[in-house]
């Protein structure tokens, strides 16, 4: 049984289809990680969509934060931008308070929250938090892509050496 697995593994590694598909797979996974983070690139204030409404409630769970207006509009807050201070202010905000929010049109996350008297979520700081968190995914995507390229080079060299030296020992 183990001999069949080794034989299959050797056939797989030495197949041209495998050597072609491995970098393509690495490219796809690497690009997915990188491209998904493009939506998190910070924008200028004039590109943000602004909404105003009457505050109804704030819902916060482990990885989900949502602001709900009295008209039923719901806006998601990126969970890694919220600090305890923001969450506390939102949870203590009185129902019926006028709110002004800015939303990034690329990822649909709230990037600024204001009342008539104070800023609850800062425009610049929230965008930097979103982008900063996403940098890890960009790095992971580049790492996956580079790892796949290195593994293909390594396997190709081993395969070439095996072909070049297969006459030794016979």
């Amino acid at each position: 049984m183990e001999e069949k697995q080794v034989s299959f593994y050797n056939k797989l590694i030495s197949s041209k289809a495998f050597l072609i598909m491995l970098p393509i797979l690495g490219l796809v996974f690497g690009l997915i990680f990188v491209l998904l983070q493009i939506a998190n690139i910070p924008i200028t204030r004039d590109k943000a969509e602004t909404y105003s409404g009457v505050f109804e409630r704030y819902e916060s769970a482990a990885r989900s934060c949502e602001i709900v207006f009295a008209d039923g509009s719901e806006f998601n807050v990126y969970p890694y931008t919220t600090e305890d201070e923001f969450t506390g202010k939102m949870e203590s905000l009185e129902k019926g308070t006028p709110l002004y929010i800015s939303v990034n049109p690329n990822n649909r996350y709230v990037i600024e929250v204001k009342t008539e008297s104070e800023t609850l979520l800062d425009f610049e700081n929230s965008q930097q938090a979103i982008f900063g968190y996403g940098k890890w995914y960009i790095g992971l995507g580049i790492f996956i892509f580079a790892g796949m390229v290195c593994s293909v080079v390594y396997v190709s060299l081993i395969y070439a050496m095996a072909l070049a030296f297969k006459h030794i020992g016979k």
Side-chain angles (χ1 to χ4, degrees):
M1 180 80 172
E2 190 174 310
E3 191 175 306
K4 285 184 179 182
Q5 289 176 342
V6 170
S7 175
F8 173 73
Y9 176 75
N10 288 338
K11 286 180 183 177
L12 180 67
I13 286 183
S14 63
S15 74
K16 289 180 184 176
F18 177 77
L19 292 175
I20 292 170
M21 289 304 294
L22 190 63
I24 291 172
L25 214 68
L27 177 65
V28 168
F29 279 117
L31 285 176
I32 287 172
F33 278 99
V34 172
L35 293 177
L36 286 177
Q37 296 309 310
I38 287 177
N40 292 336
I41 293 175
I43 61 170
T44 57
R45 189 175 290 281
D46 63 321
K47 291 183 181 174
E49 297 174 357
T50 55
Y51 299 93
S52 60
V54 177
F55 177 73
E56 178 70 23
R57 69 183 182 279
Y58 176 74
E59 298 173 355
S60 178
R63 291 194 174 198
S64 172
C65 306
E66 193 172 70
I67 298 171
V68 181
F69 284 169
D71 66 358
S73 302
E74 298 176 351
F75 299 94
N76 292 318
V77 181
Y78 197 76
Y80 301 104
T81 60
T82 60
E83 297 176 1
D84 292 338
E85 180 183 357
F86 171 76
T87 303
K89 286 181 180 180
M90 289 302 296
E91 288 174 348
S92 66
L93 199 60
E94 290 185 29
K95 190 175 181 179
T97 304
L99 273 185
Y100 308 94
I101 65 171
S102 297
V103 175
N104 184 331
N106 299 326
N107 59 17
R108 307 300 307 156
Y109 283 118
V110 173
I111 51 179
E112 183 176 50
V113 179
K114 292 182 176 182
T115 64
E116 291 177 343
S117 60
E118 73 176 313
T119 300
L120 304 175
L121 183 63
D122 182 64
F123 184 84
E124 297 297 332
N125 292 341
S126 65
Q127 288 195 92
Q128 289 306 317
I130 293 170
F131 185 65
Y133 186 78
K135 282 182 184 178
W136 291 104
Y137 287 104
I138 292 171
L140 182 62
I142 292 169
F143 179 76
I144 290 171
F145 178 71
M148 288 296 176
V149 169
C150 290
S151 67
V152 166
V153 169
Y154 175 75
V155 169
S156 298
L157 287 173
I158 297 298
Y159 181 66
M161 288 174 61
L163 289 178
F165 298 116
K166 72 178 182 180
H167 66 281
I168 295 176
K170 286 188 179 184

